[in-house]
Amino acid sequence: IFLDKFRGSPNKAVATVELSHDMVNALARQIVKQKFEQRYPSGDVYDEFIRFLSGEQDSLMEISYTKQQQKQKQKQKAKSQDNDTMDVFDKKNQLTFAFKTDNYLDMSKNPNKDEARLTLSLPISVPIFEMQYYAEGCRKSIQVYPTIQFLYSHHIMGNYISEEVHRVGKGAADPQKFCADFVSTVFSRAASKDGMNGVDPDGFDSKVIFSYVKQHPQYTLVGIQPGVYIIGIKDQFNLYDCEAHPLHEILQYAADEVGFILFDKKNTKSVDEFGPYFFEQYLLLDALSKQEVAQNVITYYCKHKDKLQHCLDHYDEKQGKGFVCWRFLMNQSLLAEK
């Protein structure tokens, strides 16, 4: 059971481990200690095991298996949610914007004139999440940038809102210049992050460098280019909003936290080509949302990449775009082979 779970981990140390009877025995004891006692980090691979089983990237949390235990944990989270929200909205973490209008209702009917909505959709050029992965002998980096409105959700950690974020946010009074600075900054940063790294050309590994996004957020993720993504609140980016956005020319596709594709300009069906089926999309989906379909895509990409692409080639997208339609995609491939 442990091995089947670990094989789906993006962490190479966990995915490739060979468990002995002694290790299974020790791991079971560690799980019991984590769940019912107070377990301290051991500084070895067992920390990675517990972290993966807990669904956490950077912290060790209680492992819950039953619905009753999950309900108890949700109640505990609800009690502390107000404190977490107050941390985000602490005065030192606030960004203040002001607009004057005689009739906001009329302004809101025209997306091009709704200054408040436009400002809240602008992306901050300071990454809120970064991860690296190693594939085909190259080191590649993924940075995710939040919209201003995402800063006021309860999905972020308060310490993200630093002096640099305050400095960047002040430029939002001029959306055109703000967006031009954003593009220049993030594209140059992306170009400096990727490169050859001397890793096994047939190997794969990934790791989260930092994350100020809390686990299991509700969000919309917009792809700009490989390695560069914008994260907004749920339903913030739809086809109509994007047409009025100052960056509409470089917004290529959008997906939500489940994997549903909200719009797509690329119209590609390749795991190696930027778009709704691009491998990076599912690395992010796994890191941010722990979706099972993302782990399926990662496993197939690493071990059965040709088969995965073959299935895509036979998929007509009538049930929707993206690997969220995994069952339909696989079934159509089987029918085509018959």
Side-chain angles (χ1 to χ4, degrees), residues 225-333:
Q225 69 169 32
V228 180
Y229 299 83
I230 296 174
I231 188 170
I233 63 168
K234 182 81 170 178
D235 299 326
Q236 183 168 22
F237 287 96
N238 56 53
L239 185 60
Y240 306 102
D241 288 340
C242 289
E243 289 177 355
H245 199 281
L247 294 174
H248 68 94
E249 292 183 357
I250 63 171
L251 304 180
Q252 302 300 328
Y253 75 91
D256 66 11
E257 77 279 1
V258 178
F260 290 108
I261 305 303
L262 307 180
F263 78 87
D264 173 34
K265 294 180 183 177
K266 299 297 291 182
N267 292 316
T268 60
K269 289 198 298 181
S270 171
V271 291
D272 290 320
E273 189 172 347
F274 187 67
Y277 300 97
F278 187 43
F279 180 55
E280 286 185 356
Q281 161 71 19
Y282 298 91
L283 283 176
L284 284 172
L285 194 63
D286 180 54
L288 295 172
S289 305
K290 286 294 179 186
Q291 292 292 332
E292 183 179 358
V293 66
Q295 296 181 7
N296 289 341
V297 173
I298 293 170
T299 300
Y300 267 74
Y301 184 88
C302 295
K303 299 180 179 180
H304 312 288
K305 183 177 175 181
D306 291 341
K307 182 177 180 180
L308 186 63
Q309 186 59 53
H310 176 75
C311 292
L312 267 181
D313 294 338
H314 290 89
Y315 180 51
D316 58 18
E317 296 185 331
K318 289 182 179 179
Q319 283 75 26
K321 290 189 176 185
F323 282 115
V324 70
C325 305
W326 182 266
R327 181 166 59 88
F328 298 109
L329 192 148
M330 291 297 172
N331 287 345
Q332 284 193 12
S333 176

Side-chain angles (χ1 to χ4, degrees), residues 135-196:
E136 299 177 347
C138 293
R139 181 190 73 244
K140 300 183 181 181
S141 182
I142 303 174
Q143 289 94 35
V144 179
Y145 300 89
T147 62
I148 290 175
Q149 189 166 4
F150 194 74
L151 302 187
Y152 289 91
S153 72
H154 61 270
H155 301 307
I156 74 162
M157 299 176 186
N159 55 347
Y160 166 76
I161 307 177
S162 61
E163 292 183 7
E164 183 182 10
V165 172
H166 274 281
R167 179 183 58 77
V168 172
K170 290 178 181 177
D174 184 350
Q176 297 300 326
K177 183 177 185 304
F178 187 88
C179 289
D181 291 343
F182 171 81
V183 170
S184 173
T185 300
V186 303
F187 281 14
S188 61
R189 181 181 291 131
S192 67
K193 291 282 185 178
D194 296 345
M196 301 300 293

Side-chain angles (χ1 to χ4, degrees), residues 62 64 66-79:
E62 179 183 328
S64 293
T66 68
K67 289 184 178 180
Q68 183 62 32
Q69 290 162 346
Q70 289 173 354
K71 287 180 180 178
Q72 290 175 355
K73 187 168 67 174
Q74 287 171 355
K75 288 180 180 179
Q76 292 172 353
K77 284 186 175 180
K79 289 180 181 179

Side-chain angles (χ1 to χ4, degrees), residues 197-219:
N197 202 55
V199 297
D200 180 0
D202 298 320
F204 170 80
D205 193 16
S206 67
K207 64 178 179 178
V208 174
I209 306 301
F210 62 80
S211 175
Y212 294 103
V213 182
K214 295 181 180 178
Q215 284 292 305
H216 310 297
Q218 292 184 328
Y219 61 83

